[in-house]
Structure formats: C-alpha cells, structure tokens
Amino acid sequence: MANISFHEQPAHTTGELPKVGVVAPNFSAVKNDLTEVSLSDFKGKKVILNIFPSIDTGVCAASVRKFHVEASKLNHVAVLCISKDLPFAHSRFCAAEGIDNLTMLSVFRSNFEQDYRVTFVDSPLKGLLSRCIVVLDEEGKVIYTEQVAETTNEPDYSKVLEAVSR
C-alpha cells in the first residue's frame, strides 16, 4: 500500500507500482473512439504511462498538456494517459486543447486495477487512480516509476524524459 497524500492529508492506495526490471502487466483499456487497446499493442516502442485521477482537475490536465508538448519531440515513444474518466470526457478535453498525439485511455471497464494497484482506498479521491508514472522499454520492462507523493503535485517530467531517452 502506497502512503501518499492529498492536500497534505494522508491517503493510501491498494498496493504498489510494478518494480523496475519486471515486465509490466498487460492490460486493456478503452480509447476515445470506444475501441479497446492493450498495452501489448505498443510493444517495440518505449511507453510512458501517465496515470492520474481525472482529466477534469487542473493538475491532471496540466500533465496531459505537458506530455502533449513533449511527445511531439519523441521518436518511437507512446504516451498513454490513463484514468477512470469516460472516453467522452477525454475526447472533450482533447478537442478543446488540440491534443492529438497522445493515447487517452479509460479504464472504466478494464483489468488495469488488478495489476496496477494505484487506486485510492481512502481520502476524498477514494476509488480513483493515484497520480503515477510508469516508463517501459521497447520490450515492456519497467525502467522508471514515480508514485507522486502529494497528489496535487505534477510528476517529475525531467526524470520521465530522461528515462525514455536512455
């Protein structure tokens, strides 16, 4: 169980992120067009999993905007933005923001939570995903993780970009 905070109050998740060096568990999720995609579909590329509570919050939206800018500079890297928001919310946000180079994924009907144990079990965000980053190499092995300690903070983008540049 991760011990993190939300507005400086203790918060906990159902477990821990996959460890560096292990093959990331496969999962399926729903894209904005309501089709399903699996993590295994991205094999052969480095992958950034940008996991967050809801696209309708300022910090979550900021992370998607930042990865949109940074992803345009990256070759052979897929950025998957993952939340429990419905695909309709993701679509609305992307259309309003002009975001077209990220894969927005809803895990509203997914096995994601069983293998990526980042769901809040308490706090006002109970039931939503905590803010995390998982970076995978081309073979699907975890090469970097970040469980953001204070949920209202953004992830450390420089470390994420450094990990995909190796």
Side-chain angles (χ1 to χ4, degrees), residues 64-82:
V64 172
R65 286 185 199 104
K66 178 70 171 182
F67 281 120
H68 169 69
V69 170
E70 296 302 330
S72 66
K73 303 173 191 172
L74 303 171
N75 291 322
H76 296 55
V77 176
V79 180
L80 312 183
C81 295
I82 302 168

Side-chain angles (χ1 to χ4, degrees), residues 10-164:
H12 305 89
T13 63
T14 53
E16 303 287 336
L17 289 169
K19 301 291 183 208
V20 170
V22 304
V23 174
N26 194 31
F27 65 89
S28 62
V30 180
K31 298 188 325 183
N32 289 1
D33 64 3
L34 300 177
T35 61
E36 290 194 12
V37 66
S38 295
L39 178 60
S40 60
D41 296 335
F42 297 92
K43 198 162 192 160
K45 292 184 174 187
K46 288 188 177 176
V47 177
I48 299 170
L49 304 180
N50 177 30
I51 306 162
F52 53 88
S54 175
I55 195 65
D56 289 323
T57 67
V59 177
C60 299
S63 74
V64 172
R65 286 185 199 104
K66 178 70 171 182
F67 281 120
H68 169 69
V69 170
E70 296 302 330
S72 66
K73 303 173 191 172
L74 303 171
N75 291 322
H76 296 55
V77 176
V79 180
L80 312 183
C81 295
I82 302 168
S83 74
K84 285 189 170 182
D85 292 303
L86 292 176
F88 313 113
H90 287 166
S91 292
R92 180 190 70 242
F93 176 82
C94 289
E97 297 286 334
I99 292 175
D100 57 7
N101 62 346
L102 306 175
T103 302
M104 303 296 291
L105 296 177
S106 173
V107 294
F108 81 100
R109 61 172 186 221
S110 170
N111 61 325
F112 184 82
E113 290 181 83
Q114 286 83 33
D115 295 316
Y116 294 80
R117 308 207 13 100
V118 298
T119 304
F120 283 105
V121 296
D122 54 19
S123 86
L125 298 179
K126 181 179 179 179
L128 295 176
L129 304 177
S130 65
R131 187 174 322 289
C132 305
I133 300 289
V134 178
V135 179
L136 311 175
D137 69 10
E138 294 87 348
E139 298 302 313
K141 282 189 182 175
V142 177
I143 58 174
Y144 173 81
T145 65
E146 178 185 2
Q147 169 73 64
V148 178
E150 168 52 53
T151 305
T152 60
N153 293 337
E154 293 180 56
D156 187 336
Y157 300 110
S158 63
K159 287 185 179 176
V160 175
L161 297 172
E162 181 183 316
V164 296

